[in-house]
Amino acid sequence: MFGIALRSLRHRRGAFVGTFVAMFFGAVIVFATGALMETGVRATAPLQRLAAADIHVVAGKTLELPGGGDEAETALLPERVRVERELADRIRDLPGVGAAVPDVSVPVSLRGRQVSGHDWASSVLAPYTLADGSAPTPGQVVLGSGYGVRTGDSVDLVARGEEGRYQVSGTVAGDGVYFATADVTRLSGTGGADLIGVVAAPGADVAELSRRVAEVVKGTDAVLLTGNERGVSEFPEVAAAGTMLVILAGVTGGLTVPVAVFVIASTLVLSIQQREREMALLRTIGTTPGQLRAMVLGESTLLAAVASALGCLPGVLLAKWLLSLMAGAGMTPPQLTYQQGVLPVLVAVGVGLLSAAGAALIAAHRAARIRPTQALAEAAIQRRWLTRPRAILASLTFAGGIVLMVATVTVFEGPVAAATAGPTSMVWAIGLALIAPGVTTVCVRLLRRPLGLVSGEPGRLAMINAGAYTVKVAAAATPIMLATGIATANIFLQSTMTDAAQLAYTENLRADAVLTATAGGISPAVAERVRAVPGVSAVSEVVSSSVFVMDPADGSDEGRPVQGVSADGVSQTTGYTVTGGSLSALTGDTVALPSPLARRWGVGVGDTVKLRLGDGSPLAAKVVATVSARPGFETLLMPVRTLAPHTSAGLPTQLLVRSADTGALRDFAAGRHDVVLGDRTAQLRSFHDQAALGAWVNYALVGMIAAYTVIAVVNTQVMATLARRREFGLQRLTGSTRGQVMRMVLVEGALVAIIGVLLGGIAAATTLVPFSLVVKGTPLPSGSPLTFVSIVAAAAALALVSMLVPAWRSTRRPPIEAVATE
């Protein structure tokens, strides 16, 4: 039977190519999302400055969260956690240790360029050797040779909010700034180290040495990194980026896989339906139902295996391009390297095989089960479409969609509602596809007279065809619905989130000017000098981080945003409205809570909450105030002097200033290298640009899926139209001209576009209306109406072009030849 199917392939090349294209591009996007997820799970970076260290000893970055269950939930700490320097002395005495050197990173600004400063003692971990000059003493530095500075020159550096002049004692062939030990200890502001690099002695067994080091650090919060894991300690931001990438790829994959399954299955079902007459004839000559099912299943799975395997090759290029796009947008560090094993291949091929096998068995089931004579009759007419399984599945799908809509409105607050709002449109799209023939029947009845009056006799014939074959028209409209629904829902979902974030930021910024640190933060001395500038009425030092609320248990594994502020300036420079207590009491171990969170946790002014700061340090903070907050954008407030030491910067990163004379502020900032001045408008524009840059990455991911649905649109329409050669030939033999046939197809294309856009709009509304109600308080999402018009116009154009072009080609042949060949 399989051989017969292969020999008949030359008579159905269009269906074969269409099915292959759907499977191939489905594998491409499934593979790409799988590869991004694996890259995030592995989260590796190439070693550079610390390549000579065989073992990295770092502080643990995970925090165990409160909660029930057998397995404790953990979170990744957002700030740099430092390890005790004393461990280096204990490790240095172990047999097989060549060197054990603490390493500290200090952000440095050199002539407006952001670089990293380190202790010269840690240069052995690269290893770096002096190209010329000598090791630095206090007040001196060794610079990389690429900075255009020679030994003996003096350079102005900004580190930890301090601007100082240093003499260049030497240069190395590499990047970075190296200080004397005394200077880097002072500039780091901490007695701890970012890591301890352990270099094995010549001939020492690294595995055995790792076991010895592990015994030394037992009982501390330090962990050992070896092999490829060491790159994360050199670039700690890679770990957080990996977690973010896993979430992003998971969300994208949650949309990609169902779309791929849907497109592959629908394309394959359409291909098999076009062969119903062929399968009916096979039944009449003695083919058994089992043989027929085996034939369809065999050819479908073979095609899926080949197409999916080939799709993995461009999938690698797509995944790498998406990763570079994220790095360019600042969502991931450039050091995060692409990692891909066999798992994305298995997922891509598995999705293709399972989709093909399931669709093949479903499509071939009825043709294999009914009597041969009945099969021949049903191959020529449309059978009843609303079967019991279809009705049950549609009911379950709509019920699930309604549950997701209700959950979006009632369970979540703010942008996190996208967790349920996003998948809602896909669930509804599946349900609408199941009842699409019924919707088509209603649309044909409503549009028969208007379209017939406009298009004349060919239009009336098109509407008669559509009424007789509503299942085929619905199948053609389904990919239009999918493309319209996915594009509309995700584009406006993103624009609504961006608009809500912009509004929340605008409401909370009341400062006339913002001073931003160029490297490592702003020193308290600078803040005091700004307060003394003429015209300045209020200054609030600001640093941002995340905290974990341990008691009462918050239940969030991502932490809560927190902002360190100055009690004497926060009320004038920010838009927080006090609902209880006073922000002037924000001193020491205190906190101000957003009112929605305070109510949820059952705490008020005067109560104490137990927190874990961004570096894992515990803090019992007294609640001194509650403030209003836009849902989804709740931010805790803490004294900047309490929060800043527990951040990676260690200092405030911005100064919010209220001033009647911004000119005096410009004079103050002129010529300084430690801060950059911006007004309120520039700050808002910067926030908008940054949000828009991140949004474009999401648009690219959505565009990838939308492009696949576009391919499915063209694919399905071309397959369906090319299969009508005989119909077109018979129509012309009965007196219709080629132009009349083309006008008939034009009306059919318009009908398909109308139905697809209508259903797609309904599917998109199930996502956007609940989400907009939660985020904005209005059912209308944010975004330009022209965007929706463009989506609709593109969908309509695709439907028309993908039907008209193959119809034009099909009618080029003489009608008698088309009828005889088919």
Side-chain angles (χ1 to χ4, degrees):
M1 293 303 300
F2 188 61
I4 294 176
L6 291 178
R7 285 193 293 273
S8 66
L9 184 63
R10 61 190 180 92
H11 299 294
R12 46 187 173 85
R13 288 190 297 268
F16 167 78
V17 172
T19 307
F20 182 89
V21 167
M23 294 174 174
F24 175 82
F25 284 102
V28 171
I29 62 171
V30 171
F31 178 93
T33 53
L36 288 179
M37 178 169 286
E38 185 170 353
T39 298
V41 170
R42 295 191 181 187
T44 59
L47 283 164
Q48 297 178 14
R49 190 180 54 83
L50 304 175
D54 301 289
I55 304 170
H56 292 179
V57 179
V58 299
K61 290 273 290 183
T62 58
L63 173 68
E64 186 174 318
L65 299 175
D70 297 333
E71 295 185 4
E73 192 172 7
T74 60
L76 185 67
L77 294 172
E79 305 291 350
R80 189 185 297 274
V81 184
R82 292 180 168 84
V83 67
E84 297 178 1
R85 282 178 173 268
E86 289 74 14
L87 283 176
D89 298 329
R90 296 163 57 188
I91 294 172
R92 200 174 291 122
D93 296 333
L94 293 175
V97 173
V101 183
D103 179 65
V104 178
S105 296
V106 178
V108 176
S109 175
L110 170 61
R111 297 177 177 176
R113 182 175 177 180
Q114 303 299 310
V115 296
S116 183
H118 303 277
D119 189 344
W120 173 248
S122 67
S123 64
V124 299
L125 303 178
Y128 283 156
T129 56
L130 286 168
D132 61 76
S134 59
T137 58
Q140 295 181 329
V141 292
V142 170
L143 295 180
S145 57
Y147 298 128
V149 179
R150 296 178 298 180
T151 299
D153 291 347
S154 294
V155 292
D156 292 323
L157 303 177
V158 177
R160 193 173 167 77
E162 296 183 11
E163 185 174 3
R165 174 159 294 187
Y166 296 83
Q167 184 184 33
V168 179
S169 65
T171 60
V172 294
D175 293 328
V177 177
Y178 292 89
F179 296 91
T181 302
D183 285 339
V184 81
T185 301
R186 172 178 54 83
L187 294 173
S188 66
T190 176
D194 296 341
L195 62 91
I196 297 173
V198 182
V199 180
D205 184 351
V206 176
E208 177 61 30
L209 180 59
S210 297
R211 285 191 289 270
R212 294 171 185 163
V213 175
E215 287 295 324
V216 170
V217 302
K218 183 183 296 184
T220 70
D221 63 349
V223 296
L224 271 63
L225 301 178
T226 59
N228 291 334
E229 297 175 334
R230 295 173 296 165
V232 178
S233 61
E234 184 169 351
F235 304 103
E237 63 274 15
V238 166
T243 301
M244 181 277 299
L245 190 58
V246 168
I247 296 173
L248 184 61
V251 172
T252 306
L255 181 61
T256 298
V257 172
V259 169
V261 170
F262 192 87
V263 170
I264 292 172
S266 60
T267 306
L268 188 58
V269 167
L270 175 63
S271 173
I272 295 173
Q273 286 177 347
Q274 292 175 351
R275 299 166 55 196
E276 287 182 340
R277 183 176 180 83
E278 170 192 329
M279 290 188 288
L281 288 171
L282 287 173
R283 290 292 313 281
T284 62
I285 62 174
T287 303
T288 66
Q291 288 176 322
L292 196 62
R293 280 191 290 264
M295 179 192 76
V296 174
L297 181 62
E299 64 182 22
S300 299
T301 53
L302 177 61
L303 186 63
V306 175
S308 300
L310 293 177
C312 294
L313 300 177
V316 175
L317 300 178
L318 178 60
K320 290 183 177 179
W321 177 76
L322 289 172
L323 187 61
S324 66
L325 189 67
M326 294 178 193
M331 295 181 66
T332 60
Q335 293 84 9
L336 179 63
T337 56
Y338 175 80
Q339 297 287 330
Q340 173 253 308
V342 71
L343 188 59
V345 178
L346 296 178
V347 172
V349 175
V351 168
L353 287 175
L354 291 176
S355 304
L361 290 175
I362 292 172
H365 174 70
R366 183 172 176 83
R369 185 170 57 88
I370 63 176
R371 294 188 301 272
T373 53
Q374 185 182 355
L376 276 173
E378 290 199 355
I381 61 174
Q382 174 177 293
R383 56 178 177 262
R384 184 171 61 91
W385 65 271
L386 189 58
T387 61
R388 180 176 295 179
R390 182 188 285 254
I392 293 174
L393 184 58
S395 300
L396 292 175
T397 304
F398 287 133
I402 292 172
V403 169
L404 287 174
M405 293 175 67
V406 172
T408 299
V409 176
T410 59
V411 177
F412 297 99
E413 294 181 350
V416 294
T420 52
T424 304
S425 58
M426 190 64 208
V427 174
W428 274 84
I430 295 173
L432 291 171
L434 291 170
I435 65 166
V439 177
T440 300
T441 301
V442 175
C443 289
V444 168
R445 290 175 181 174
L446 294 175
L447 298 175
R448 176 175 293 172
R449 184 177 297 275
L451 289 180
L453 291 175
V454 172
S455 56
E457 195 62 34
R460 285 190 286 272
L461 182 58
M463 300 306 289
I464 292 173
N465 279 343
Y469 297 101
T470 55
V471 174
K472 292 182 179 180
V473 175
T478 296
I480 298 289
M481 171 194 67
L482 205 60
T484 305
I486 287 176
T488 303
N490 287 278
I491 288 176
F492 283 92
L493 188 72
Q494 181 62 55
S495 63
T496 302
M497 285 194 292
T498 302
D499 184 65
Q502 178 76 18
L503 182 60
Y505 186 80
T506 302
E507 290 175 344
N508 283 335
L509 183 63
R510 298 287 179 83
D512 300 307
V514 180
L515 288 165
T516 304
T518 58
I522 301 175
S523 69
V526 173
E528 291 304 318
R529 291 188 60 187
V530 172
R531 288 185 174 93
V533 172
V536 171
S537 58
V539 175
S540 177
E541 300 166 85
V542 174
V543 65
S544 298
S545 183
S546 296
V547 297
F548 299 88
V549 182
M550 311 297 286
D551 185 17
D554 180 19
S556 173
D557 59 353
E558 297 180 357
R560 294 286 177 178
V562 61
Q563 198 170 58
V565 295
S566 302
D568 59 347
V570 60
S571 297
Q572 296 94 325
T573 57
T574 65
Y576 294 107
T577 300
V578 178
T579 58
S582 173
L583 292 180
S584 61
L586 275 175
T587 58
D589 296 344
T590 58
V591 64
L593 299 180
S595 296
L597 296 183
R599 287 192 298 268
R600 185 185 307 171
W601 296 334
V603 297
V605 176
D607 293 334
T608 298
V609 293
K610 294 182 179 179
L611 309 174
R612 285 283 189 148
L613 303 181
D615 63 350
S617 300
L619 179 71
K622 180 181 178 182
V623 180
V624 296
T626 56
V627 295
S628 60
R630 180 174 288 272
F633 297 93
E634 298 92 349
T635 300
L636 283 70
L637 301 178
M638 292 182 64
V640 69
R641 295 286 179 267
T642 302
L643 181 63
H646 300 280
T647 63
S648 298
L651 289 171
T653 55
Q654 285 186 326
L655 297 180
L656 304 183
V657 184
R658 286 298 297 270
S659 175
D661 184 7
T662 55
L665 281 175
R666 283 194 296 270
D667 293 339
F668 171 81
R672 298 189 67 92
H673 299 94
D674 54 347
V675 292
V676 175
L677 176 66
D679 58 16
R680 185 174 187 273
T681 302
Q683 189 71 12
L684 293 175
R685 188 185 304 116
S686 175
F687 179 85
H688 178 270
D689 292 343
Q690 187 176 8
L693 189 60
W696 271 110
V697 175
N698 292 328
Y699 289 144
L701 293 171
V702 172
M704 173 185 70
I705 302 172
Y708 179 54
T709 60
V710 167
I711 293 172
V713 169
V714 176
N715 201 23
T716 303
Q717 308 293 41
V718 170
M719 286 175 59
T721 307
L722 288 177
R724 300 173 63 187
R725 294 189 186 98
R726 179 181 175 84
E727 175 192 334
F728 295 154
L730 288 172
Q731 187 175 344
R732 293 175 64 191
L733 288 175
T734 58
S736 296
T737 65
R738 188 185 183 194
Q740 288 174 323
V741 173
M742 293 299 297
R743 286 196 293 275
M744 179 192 73
V745 175
L746 178 63
V747 175
E748 291 178 351
L751 179 63
V752 166
I754 291 171
I755 296 172
V757 168
L758 173 64
L759 295 179
I762 294 173
T766 61
T767 282
L768 297 177
V769 172
F771 183 75
S772 299
L773 285 172
V774 172
V775 174
K776 297 178 56 184
T778 172
L780 294 177
S782 299
S784 172
L786 292 178
T787 302
F788 179 69
V789 173
S790 301
I791 293 173
V792 171
L798 279 171
L800 294 174
V801 172
S802 57
M803 291 182 70
L804 289 173
V805 171
W808 178 77
R809 291 192 59 186
S810 298
T811 55
R812 291 179 61 185
R813 303 167 65 184
I816 188 65
E817 181 181 337
V819 173
T821 302
E822 293 299 315

